[in-house]
Amino acid sequence: MNTDQKMRQSTSASAYGGRAGTDAGDGDPPVRAKRFWSARRVPAGIVALAVFAVSGLLLYDVAAVRSGRPAMRWREWLADQLAARPLDDPWIMSGAALLAALGVWMVVLALTPGLRGLLPMRSPGAGAGAGAEKDVEDAEAGVAVRAGIDRASAGLVLRDRAMEVPGVRSARVDVGRRRIRARALAHFRDLDEVRADLDTALHEGIHQLGLARRPALSVRVRRSAKSKG
């Protein structure tokens, strides 16, 4: 493979900052912002209805037995199975493992914020100077202003910025919580020049999004197949 072919098929990557959430030279100090918590009304409602139904049915059966009526067949069968099967029975072990996994999953859901597709943004005036004093006054007055942007929407905004770069034929931008990955096809101009302009455009675009935690940026540029021909 000669030098020209290597240049046409080369890819490049760059990352801003030593770690996600910081950008050298942008003048903005890192801002700590809590993630948005999901209300989880639907899962909580389903769990509440299931617990209510099972508890009500069990309570009704216990009350029926206390009043002299026979127990339901499903409870007699379950009691017989639990009494006859040993603790190391495969069905007992499988049921216990399933219930334990379900419990751990519910605990994780309760302790994590959720809404992974929503990125928190900086509060108005975050930084220094009069804006910071305004935030302090708002905090003392009990005024809470929070904003967020959907990751898919942020990806579309950055993709539009990438398409404005001369030489970019098509682009794809995937926005994650910690890293933004941009892939572009160039149909003219030198790849290094396109990459440099694309880095600058996306860097400015990320800055204008006003994210509280600035993700790291990874850019890859390659020559399109039509341009190779």
Side-chain angles (χ1 to χ4, degrees), residues 9-227:
Q9 298 179 3
S10 66
T11 58
S12 58
S14 62
Y16 293 107
R19 62 177 183 272
T22 60
D23 285 300
D26 59 3
D28 293 335
V31 177
R32 295 185 57 130
K34 296 182 179 179
R35 289 175 54 190
F36 291 89
W37 279 77
S38 173
R40 297 187 177 95
R41 296 184 179 89
V42 175
I46 294 176
V47 172
L49 288 177
V51 172
F52 177 78
V54 174
S55 301
L57 185 61
L58 184 60
L59 181 61
Y60 170 79
D61 188 56
V62 171
V65 172
R66 291 292 183 178
S67 62
R69 297 180 181 181
M72 293 184 179
R73 293 183 179 180
W74 67 269
R75 197 162 73 93
E76 292 181 352
W77 176 84
L78 182 60
D80 294 339
Q81 292 295 323
L82 292 177
R85 294 180 181 271
L87 294 179
D88 58 350
D89 185 83
W91 288 102
I92 299 295
M93 299 293 291
S94 300
L98 180 61
L99 292 177
L102 181 61
V104 171
W105 179 61
M106 294 180 67
V107 170
V108 171
L109 288 181
L111 297 179
T112 53
L115 296 179
R116 298 176 61 87
L118 193 62
L119 299 177
M121 301 174 65
R122 290 173 175 262
S123 60
E133 296 177 358
K134 180 65 167 54
D135 288 342
V136 174
E137 295 176 359
D138 291 343
E140 293 177 352
V143 179
V145 179
R146 297 192 65 194
I149 183 172
D150 185 72
R151 284 163 50 182
S153 300
L156 291 176
V157 172
L158 295 178
R159 178 185 175 277
D160 291 341
R161 293 296 299 267
M163 294 299 298
E164 296 175 358
V165 175
V168 174
R169 180 184 184 89
S170 63
R172 176 180 176 180
V173 180
D174 298 322
V175 178
R177 292 177 50 235
R178 300 183 182 277
R179 180 173 293 275
I180 296 176
R181 293 178 173 85
R183 305 291 181 267
L185 293 178
H187 59 103
F188 69 91
R189 298 183 66 199
D190 184 73
L191 289 181
D192 292 336
E193 295 179 358
V194 175
R195 184 196 69 243
D197 292 345
L198 188 60
D199 286 346
T200 303
L202 292 179
H203 188 197
E204 295 176 354
I206 295 173
H207 178 75
Q208 292 176 358
L209 287 177
L211 300 178
R213 180 183 179 90
R214 201 73 55 80
L217 176 62
S218 173
V219 177
R220 296 175 66 89
V221 180
R222 62 186 179 90
R223 189 74 67 190
S224 63
K226 293 183 179 181
S227 299

